[in-house]
Amino acid sequence: MKAQVFSNKCIKGPYFKLVIKPSQKLTYMTGQFVMLRPAETTSAGIFLPRPFSIHGISGDDHIEILYKVVGKGTEFLSRLYEGSEIEFLGPFGNGFQIDIYNKPDEFIIVAGGIGVAPLLGLTQLIKSNCKETPVKVFIGGRGIMDLLCVEDFENHGANVVVATQDGSEGVKGFVTDALEEYLQDIGPDGRIILYACGPNAMLKRIYGIAGRSNIETTFSLEAEMACGMGLCMGCAVKKSGGGYYLVCKDGPVFNGDLIEFSND
Ligand SMILES: Cc1cc2nc3c(=O)[nH]c(=O)nc-3n(C[C@H](O)[C@H](O)[C@H](O)COP(=O)(O)OP(=O)(O)OC[C@H]3O[C@@H](n4cnc5c(N)ncnc54)[C@H](O)[C@@H]3O)c2cc1C
Ligand code: FES
């Protein structure tokens, strides 16, 4: 499928927001992702599309992507202007599920850096299905420049805590330290469901912290992908009982108990 760039703007530092209009109307679930490749990249030596979460939908079915420039593909993406053509595959993956019949006492959402991308939509989904349930959001990054969408989460009714490793904003330290401290304060009562997206090391740490407090975890995983649809085996992650899942086909959203983090 083709899509056209509607806008592509730097938000801050290496973070950009891309808005594209696909040639066909899409239906999608929050947490799903798309594979994108700018039309002229083969001449620049970029042959494979790159995966990006759907951050939101705006206007007349325009798709919003929040991305960080980390390498060749995203650098090329950042130079696209209004009207550029993009190859577009998807939406792929399973997306987030909310069990509206079995609501918890609280939702916790933890985002590391660009991990916020799929989690704002999740917050909207939670708030539209479980209006009364408090949503606590932890957003972490190296510094103030890595904290994205804080006000957007607040506008959706979430109570937000930010943490930076350099102390330039919010709590000084890892976002997982702030999470751990919060859980100590609220004690063991009540049922909490935690969702997270970010680097694997962060997810592994969260899984350990949540396990000690009996909290159910759901993670949106990242992996390097080539096809996005279960063909290349490039996105395999270890299952907790042995064997592998494909992040693109079986995920990217997984119950934390299903994933083996020990050797990451
Ligand atoms: C399901 C899914 C959803 C994603 N959603 C987003 C999103 O919404 N916004 C966003 O900015 N990024 C997202 N990513 C990550 C994004 O796909 C990569 O940053 C992108 O492919 C990098 O392409 P590149 O050519 O710029 O970097 P490359 O030149 O390919 O790599 C540059 C560096 O980034 C690392 N890298 C590449 N891909 C990944 C990856 N998937 N995870 C971790 N490190 C990687 C490489 O190891 C290397 O160190 C998502 C990934 C997945 C699997
Ligand atoms: S990206 Fe090819 S199998 Fe998952």
Side-chain angles (χ1 to χ4, degrees):
M1 197 193 304
K2 300 274 184 226
Q4 261 201 347
V5 173
F6 180 74
S7 65
N8 188 25
K9 290 187 186 130
C10 177
I11 306 173
K12 55 174 160 176
Y15 299 98
F16 282 70
K17 190 180 199 175
L18 171 72
V19 182
I20 51 177
K21 183 167 172 48
S23 52
Q24 289 166 32
K25 194 174 155 74
L26 290 186
T27 50
Y28 83 103
M29 284 160 63
T30 299
Q32 285 190 302
F33 67 95
V34 295
M35 300 291 286
L36 297 183
R37 192 181 68 159
E40 290 119 40
T41 45
T42 25
S43 56
I46 300 166
F47 299 100
L48 297 170
R50 305 295 199 248
F52 297 95
S53 305
I54 297 176
H55 181 56
I57 296 276
S58 58
D60 176 24
D61 285 333
H62 290 52
I63 300 212
E64 297 177 351
I65 306 284
L66 196 65
Y67 67 97
K68 180 180 185 181
V69 175
V70 295
K72 231 166 38 169
T74 43
E75 208 273 321
F76 200 97
L77 205 60
S78 72
R79 284 189 270 122
L80 294 184
Y81 44 84
E82 193 186 323
S84 301
E85 200 168 78
I86 231 172
E87 281 174 32
F88 178 99
L89 291 168
F92 295 128
N94 55 356
F96 292 110
Q97 305 284 340
I98 306 287
D99 182 356
I100 56 166
Y101 301 106
N102 195 11
K103 294 175 189 167
D105 299 295
E106 181 177 14
F107 288 98
I108 293 182
I109 292 178
V110 189
I114 194 65
V116 296
L119 296 176
L120 187 64
L122 171 65
T123 307
Q124 268 176 291
L125 185 69
I126 290 173
K127 277 294 172 190
S128 53
N129 285 291
C130 315
K131 251 190 207 72
E132 309 305 327
T133 312
V135 181
K136 185 97 181 167
V137 176
F138 292 85
I139 302 177
R142 279 174 206 277
I144 193 169
M145 292 299 277
D146 301 298
L147 301 174
L148 304 174
C149 305
V150 175
E151 274 185 18
D152 298 323
F153 281 100
E154 285 170 348
N155 290 340
H156 286 307
N159 184 313
V160 183
V161 172
V162 300
T164 52
Q165 284 156 248
D166 65 5
S168 51
E169 183 80 14
V171 182
K172 187 174 189 316
F174 289 109
V175 69
T176 46
D177 299 333
L179 171 71
E180 199 164 21
E181 201 181 315
Y182 176 68
L183 291 177
Q184 272 165 10
D185 286 352
I186 63 168
D189 294 337
R191 179 168 166 254
I192 297 176
I193 296 184
L194 183 151
Y195 294 87
C197 183
N200 270 351
M202 179 191 100
L203 300 184
K204 179 181 175 180
R205 179 117 170 77
I206 291 173
Y207 186 68
I209 296 168
R212 290 197 293 278
S213 300
N214 252 333
I215 291 173
E216 299 159 48
T217 52
T218 298
F219 297 141
S220 180
L221 298 191
E222 282 199 7
E224 294 198 28
M225 291 187 180
C227 72
M229 55 181 98
L231 303 174
C232 70
M233 308 292 145
C235 63
V237 289
K238 282 188 180 161
K239 283 185 186 180
S240 54
Y244 291 87
Y245 285 117
L246 295 177
V247 173
C248 66
K249 202 159 113 318
D250 304 313
V253 176
F254 294 91
N255 181 309
D257 292 339
L258 299 178
I259 304 299
E260 173 61 65
F261 288 111
S262 57
N263 295 325
D264 286 346

